[in-house]
Amino acid sequence: QVRVQESGGGSVQAGGSLKLSCVVSGYIFGTCGMAWYRRSPGKERELVSSIGTDGTTTYADSVKGRFTISQDSGKNTASLHMNNLKSEDTAVYYCAADAGSPDCSSGSWQALINYYWGQGTQVTVSS
């Protein structure tokens, strides 16, 4: 059984930093990578960042230059380093592990939205 568990959320003032961590337990056959999503009240779920098993990373335009995604060599842990946080970054952040996709090229597996999801962790940025 696969389990995805996030940690590291909290409250911070604008300009501050937080690190989110995600651990995936259990084996996922054919997984292409991991991703971080977020959802704010009244907004659509947003893909914040992703990292493929080949190390390819993607970032939403709104976080480029401020957030960095990384993955450990065992590829069962992913982290999201968030710097220079803004009030608009306030959201519930979800870690997602690709559940196995036929095409691991960047953009393809993310588009399928075929994930094992974590329960989410709240990030609140006060101005």
Side-chain angles (χ1 to χ4, degrees):
Q1 184 175 356
V2 176
R3 184 183 180 199
V4 179
Q5 182 69 51
E6 308 99 334
S7 62
S11 298
V12 65
Q13 289 191 329
S17 299
L18 281 174
K19 175 186 173 183
L20 304 182
S21 297
C22 176
V23 178
V24 179
S25 57
Y27 178 73
I28 306 175
F29 179 78
T31 185
C32 293
M34 296 176 68
W36 288 94
Y37 284 76
R38 67 185 180 188
R39 176 172 280 162
S40 305
K43 293 186 178 180
E44 295 289 323
R45 181 178 60 193
E46 176 186 22
L47 173 59
V48 176
S49 182
S50 67
I51 185 164
T53 51
D54 62 354
T56 301
T57 59
T58 68
Y59 296 94
D61 288 343
S62 59
V63 306
K64 281 181 181 177
R66 300 188 298 121
F67 291 12
T68 302
I69 192 170
S70 60
Q71 192 172 47
D72 71 356
S73 59
K75 297 183 172 55
N76 68 333
T77 301
S79 297
L80 187 67
H81 299 257
M82 305 184 294
N83 297 318
N84 190 21
L85 283 161
K86 305 176 181 180
S87 57
E88 51 263 43
D89 294 318
T90 295
V92 178
Y93 285 72
Y94 297 90
C95 179
D98 176 61
S101 300
D103 183 356
C104 284
S105 59
S106 184
S108 295
W109 60 272
Q110 296 94 326
L112 290 178
I113 315 180
N114 179 32
Y115 295 114
Y116 292 99
W117 294 92
Q119 82 290 347
T121 185
Q122 177 70 45
V123 171
T124 302
V125 184
S126 56
S127 56

